[in-house]
Amino acid sequence: PPPPPQPSPYTTLFRSPKSCDPRRGFGIAQMKNMIRDYKETHSISAKQLDLKIIVHGGGGLMLIDDSTVPWTNNLQPAVEGLLEDGVRIYFGQNTVRGLAPKLFPNDNNDLIESIQALTSSVIDGVEYVTGGLTALADFQKEGYVYIQP
């Protein structure tokens, strides 16, 4: 088999298990600062970086498109901006299963129906991993540097 791909020298991984407050997501501001710093001090654009954020737990709320729910996601512009910059954002499926019945209850208490409603409400471009902590270990094994904001 061929050797595994070598990570770029700027391969970084953040984890966002919660939202600090409605205006500042855990890890979101730090990732934006890191991108700005690389651009200003190293002349490296965001597209040249290999950046990932794993979102799980309470952080999942920042990935909901506010046009699909009766509340405002103040972090949506920041999330969309990171996606536009090429940051890959992963949503843990364990969190999806836990949040779905709370955010999208239904008369039948049908978990699948709630999950479908939640996943159709996630901001475009967000990807999924089975579990946040499992993905953290998997990405580290691939050579990503984990930064706990």
Side-chain angles (χ1 to χ4, degrees), residues 33-46 49:
N33 288 342
M34 184 176 186
I35 291 169
R36 185 177 56 248
D37 186 52
Y38 272 121
K39 182 178 180 183
E40 292 174 1
T41 63
H42 296 70
S43 298
I44 298 172
S45 74
L49 302 171

Side-chain angles (χ1 to χ4, degrees), residues 9 17 30 64-65 67 78 82-83 94 113 116 127 144:
Q30 292 86 351
I64 304 298
D65 183 329
S67 70
L82 288 173
L83 289 165
N94 291 334
E113 187 178 318
Q116 289 170 338
E127 302 173 65
Y144 284 82

Side-chain angles (χ1 to χ4, degrees), residues 28-114:
I28 299 295
Q30 292 86 351
M31 180 70 79
K32 288 173 64 175
N33 288 342
M34 184 176 186
I35 291 169
R36 185 177 56 248
D37 186 52
Y38 272 121
K39 182 178 180 183
E40 292 174 1
T41 63
H42 296 70
S43 298
I44 298 172
S45 74
K47 300 284 186 194
Q48 294 172 284
L49 302 171
D50 185 2
L51 304 173
K52 299 181 187 300
I53 299 176
I54 300 169
V55 179
H56 62 103
L61 296 175
M62 74 176 96
L63 301 181
I64 304 298
D65 183 329
D66 65 10
S67 70
T68 65
V69 290
W71 42 271
T72 301
N73 177 0
N74 292 320
L75 295 169
Q76 184 169 343
V79 169
E80 291 172 335
L82 288 173
L83 289 165
E84 289 170 14
D85 282 341
V87 175
R88 295 181 71 182
I89 300 176
Y90 296 90
F91 197 177
Q93 290 176 349
N94 291 334
T95 297
V96 169
R97 284 189 293 277
L99 282 178
K102 295 173 189 163
L103 294 179
F104 298 96
N106 57 69
D107 293 336
N108 302 324
N109 291 322
D110 183 342
L111 180 60
I112 300 299
E113 187 178 318
S114 294

Side-chain angles (χ1 to χ4, degrees), residues 3-35:
Q6 295 300 309
S8 81
Y10 303 101
T11 303
T12 307
L13 175 67
F14 278 63
R15 183 172 71 104
S16 189
K18 60 185 174 183
S19 295
C20 294
D21 68 46
R23 295 168 308 282
R24 183 178 166 101
F26 192 77
I28 299 295
Q30 292 86 351
M31 180 70 79
K32 288 173 64 175
N33 288 342
M34 184 176 186
I35 291 169

